[in-house]
């Protein structure tokens, strides 16, 4: 497999293509810096801290009880002078030796407290209290005395014992999890300075693509748009609008421009994962409803709202993913449009199978464009090659290395297909070349981890996600692979 040192060498392995390792390295170097903003705790989850998280208050903020029982001073027995509840009024007097205050967990202990005697260790003394030189204080519960054995200092949480005022508890770059939100709140924070999650807009191209229902001959369901939101969120970014546009240079150019010229109609925005993808109003060849065949049990597509086209993508995403249009066919206009817009092309084709016609470019405004192939598995492979490193940047982690096991037979228990499917379609092992193969392309193979190594699951044709759906990783077989351990690219869960 290519090493980090080798990716610095521009190895055009197949025509103008870059090697797979070089493409990933270019994407990592091109990863944009996420802007810093202050957001309320309610919206900070999933972001990364822009700076260290420090304590605005000590924890605990004062000396408090760690148990339900009695705050006592000195040695017992103790006369009970009053009661203090968490959140209630504190005992206002200094607790003198031989005195106690009934207390709840979390309540502030009076000044002079030496320990807390838990209820289960306390023994009431009755009816007559022993003689004790204790003054009568306001709130004294006359005639109530307790005894017990307690170690000095026990069950009292001192001010700042857990976290001191100004103490740094988490470093910059820490991912904001639910636990981090709770910690921040406990430390007095209402807002957090975070790196805003990068926003990714998705453009689905293709006159043949429909979003719902059963496709007629010549039509296909969009299989890329549904998996991208989960992959984008898994990579730590924010899922932006998803737009469907017809084939053609003009609609694609309009969608990629940060601010459309007057009179240019935008594509209709579709909430990630829901609703039927809409299309531009100036040339779509039929609505999704017109392209589908009604079927009992199939949900009828919903027509896009007319005014939604004016409220589509506002150009705020840092990254735009274009599904399809990245190849060199008659309906693939991405390269020409990028050239027309003055984009800098960073990657134009990768020596990898599947996923060869992938593309990475930077528009003059700084926005990055990732072009994915139209075949679903090829698009997934390309997304793991370019999009995920682009989104993760410094957080990107290289996969573990594992030996590739022998390809299973059609009746292998590692297969998750039904017996009938096994008989009709044996495990396809086109990507497992024999040892010593000299292909110039890196190959990405769906595998499952096992005690014997990474086992190819088959069903790995570029147009099908079947193998990827059964796998938990893609094995990276570099050119010249000869049986050595290979890197495993984790698949989004």
């Amino acid at each position: 497999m290519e090493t980090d040192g080798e990716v610095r060498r521009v190895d055009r392995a197949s025509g103008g293509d870059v090697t797979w390792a070089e493409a990933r390295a270019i994407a990592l170097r091109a990863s944009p810096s996420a802007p810093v903003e202050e957001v309320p705790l309610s919206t900070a989850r999933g972001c990364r801290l822009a700076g260290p998280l420090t304590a605005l208050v000590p924890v605990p903020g004062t000396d408090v009880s760690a148990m339900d029982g009695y705050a006592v001073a000195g040695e017992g027995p103790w006369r009970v002078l009053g009661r203090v509840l968490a959140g209630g009024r504190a005992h206002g007097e200094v607790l003198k030796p031989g005195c106690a205050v009934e207390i709840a967990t979390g309540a502030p202990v009076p000044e002079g407290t030496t320990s807390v005697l838990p209820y289960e260790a306390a023994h009431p003394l009755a009816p007559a209290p022993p003689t004790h030189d204790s003054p009568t204080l306001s709130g004294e519960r006359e005639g109530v005395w307790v005894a017990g054995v307690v170690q000095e200092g026990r069950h009292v949480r001192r001010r700042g014992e857990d976290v001191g005022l100004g103490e740094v508890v988490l470093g910059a770059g820490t991912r904001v999890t639910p636990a981090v939100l709770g910690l921040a709140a406990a430390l007095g924070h209402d807002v957090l300075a975070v790196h805003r999650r990068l926003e990714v807009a998705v453009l689905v191209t293709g006159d043949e693509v429909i979003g719902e229902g059963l496709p007629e001959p010549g039509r296909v369901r969009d299989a890329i748009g549904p998996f991208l939101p989960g992959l984008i969120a898994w990579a730590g970014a924010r899922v932006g609008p998803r737009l469907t546009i017809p084939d053609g240079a003009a609609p694609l150019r309009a969608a990629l421009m940060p601010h459309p010229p007057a009179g240019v109609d935008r594509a209709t925005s579709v909430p990630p994962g829901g609703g039927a993808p809409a299309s531009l109003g100036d040339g779509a060849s039929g609505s999704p409803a017109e392209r589908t065949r009604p079927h009992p049990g199939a949900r009828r597509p919903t027509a896009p709202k007319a005014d939604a086209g004016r409220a589509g993508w506002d150009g705020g995403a840092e990254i735009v993913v274009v599904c399809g249009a990245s190849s060199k066919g008659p309906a693939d206009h991405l390269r020409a449009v990028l050239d027309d817009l003055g984009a800098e092309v960073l990657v134009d084709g990768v020596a990898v199978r599947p996923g060869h016609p992938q593309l990475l470019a930077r528009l003059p405004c700084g926005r990055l464009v990732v072009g994915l192939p139209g075949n679903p598995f090829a698009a997934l492979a390309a997304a793991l090659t370019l999009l995920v490193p682009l989104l993760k940047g410094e957080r990107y982690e290289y996969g573990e290395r594992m030996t590739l096991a022998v390809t299973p037979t059609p009746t292998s228990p590692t297969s998750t297909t039904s017996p009938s499917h096994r008989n009709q379609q044996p495990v396809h092992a086109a990507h497992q070349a024999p040892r010593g193969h000299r292909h110039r392309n890196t190959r990405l193979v769906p595998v499952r981890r096992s005690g014997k190594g990474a086992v190819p699951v088959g069903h790995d044709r570029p147009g099908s996600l079947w193998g990827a759906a059964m796998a938990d990783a893609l094995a990276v077989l570099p050119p010249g692979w000869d049986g050595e351990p290979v890197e495993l690219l984790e698949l989004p869960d």
Side-chain angles (χ1 to χ4, degrees):
M1 182 175 181
E2 301 96 331
T3 65
D4 290 340
E6 290 174 324
V7 300
R8 301 177 185 276
R9 174 176 53 87
V10 179
D11 179 10
R12 305 295 177 176
S14 177
D17 302 338
V18 298
T19 66
W20 180 85
E22 183 184 2
R24 178 170 65 171
I26 292 172
L28 284 170
R29 291 194 294 269
S31 179
S33 299
V36 176
E37 61 182 2
E38 284 195 342
V39 298
L41 297 184
S42 59
T43 61
R45 182 185 175 195
C47 298
R48 302 230 167 223
L49 295 177
L53 181 66
T54 59
L56 303 181
V57 294
V59 179
T62 188
D63 295 350
V64 297
S65 174
M67 299 284 288
D68 293 329
Y70 300 91
V72 301
E75 296 183 356
W78 301 275
R79 177 181 295 182
V80 180
L81 305 179
R83 174 182 294 173
V84 180
L85 301 178
R89 186 175 180 179
H91 186 77
E93 304 287 344
V94 176
L95 202 60
K96 295 187 177 181
C99 295
V101 170
E102 191 175 7
I103 198 163
T105 301
V109 298
E111 184 180 350
T113 299
T114 56
S115 57
V116 170
L117 177 68
Y119 281 135
E120 52 268 31
H123 307 290
L125 300 179
T131 302
H132 203 294
D133 185 19
S134 296
T136 299
L137 301 177
S138 176
E140 177 181 343
R141 300 175 64 187
E142 294 185 8
V144 179
W145 290 72
V146 293
V149 178
V150 63
Q151 182 180 351
E152 184 174 351
R154 287 283 289 168
H155 308 309
V156 177
R157 295 175 59 210
R158 299 298 180 183
R159 182 179 188 272
E161 180 179 300
D162 295 339
V163 183
L165 177 64
E167 185 174 350
V168 175
V169 294
L170 295 174
T174 301
R175 184 171 179 269
V176 181
T177 63
V180 171
L181 291 173
L183 175 62
L187 299 180
H189 292 271
D190 296 315
V191 298
L192 289 176
V194 298
H195 290 288
R196 181 173 61 79
R197 288 180 293 169
L198 296 173
E199 182 177 327
V200 182
V202 178
L203 304 181
V204 179
T205 69
D207 290 339
E208 77 281 8
V209 177
I210 65 171
E212 291 181 315
L214 301 180
E216 295 179 344
R219 308 291 189 187
V220 294
R221 282 291 299 268
D222 173 22
I224 303 174
F227 81 64
L228 275 177
L231 181 143
I232 291 167
W234 171 77
R238 185 157 51 100
V239 181
R242 190 181 81 210
L243 316 177
T244 294
I245 60 176
D247 287 328
L252 184 57
R253 185 184 300 108
L256 287 175
M257 292 177 66
H259 303 289
V264 176
D265 192 17
R266 274 290 187 211
T268 301
S269 179
V270 178
S279 57
L280 283 172
D282 60 351
S285 56
S287 68
E290 294 169 336
R291 301 178 192 173
T292 56
R293 187 193 308 274
H295 182 272
R299 186 161 63 94
R300 187 176 296 275
T302 56
K305 296 181 180 180
D307 62 350
R310 303 297 190 271
W313 177 42
D314 62 3
E318 290 85 6
I319 298 170
V320 181
V321 177
V322 180
C323 306
S326 66
S327 191
K328 298 182 179 179
D332 299 314
H333 303 282
L334 182 56
R335 285 171 176 78
V337 167
L338 291 173
D339 184 62
D340 184 52
L341 294 176
E344 176 191 6
V345 177
L346 306 178
V347 174
D348 187 3
V350 179
V352 65
R353 293 294 186 273
H356 159 256
Q358 54 186 288
L359 185 146
L360 175 61
R362 182 184 288 111
L363 294 172
C365 64
R367 177 174 296 114
L368 291 159
V369 178
V370 177
L372 303 181
N375 280 321
F377 181 42
L380 175 61
L384 293 174
T385 301
L386 295 180
L387 181 58
V388 171
L390 200 62
L391 296 178
K392 291 194 172 186
E394 295 179 351
R395 299 181 290 106
Y396 186 84
E397 296 181 358
Y398 293 89
E400 65 174 314
R401 303 183 72 83
M402 185 175 288
T403 300
L404 196 68
V406 176
T407 304
T409 63
T411 56
S412 167
T414 59
S415 175
T416 59
T417 58
S418 66
S420 61
H421 282 157
R422 294 187 192 118
N423 293 332
Q424 294 171 9
Q425 183 178 349
V427 172
H428 179 59
H431 291 317
Q432 191 193 1
R435 290 190 177 190
H437 82 93
R438 297 302 173 198
H439 288 288
R440 299 171 68 89
N441 294 313
T442 295
R443 296 174 180 267
L444 303 181
V445 183
V447 295
R448 275 186 178 276
R449 296 176 178 85
S450 75
K452 297 180 180 179
V455 180
V457 298
H459 303 292
D460 50 10
R461 298 185 185 277
S464 173
L465 289 169
W466 190 357
M470 295 192 297
D472 53 30
L474 298 185
V476 182
L477 275 63
W481 177 72
D482 197 31
E484 66 273 14
V486 295
E487 182 183 0
L488 299 186
L489 293 179
E490 198 71 27
L491 286 170
D493 52 20

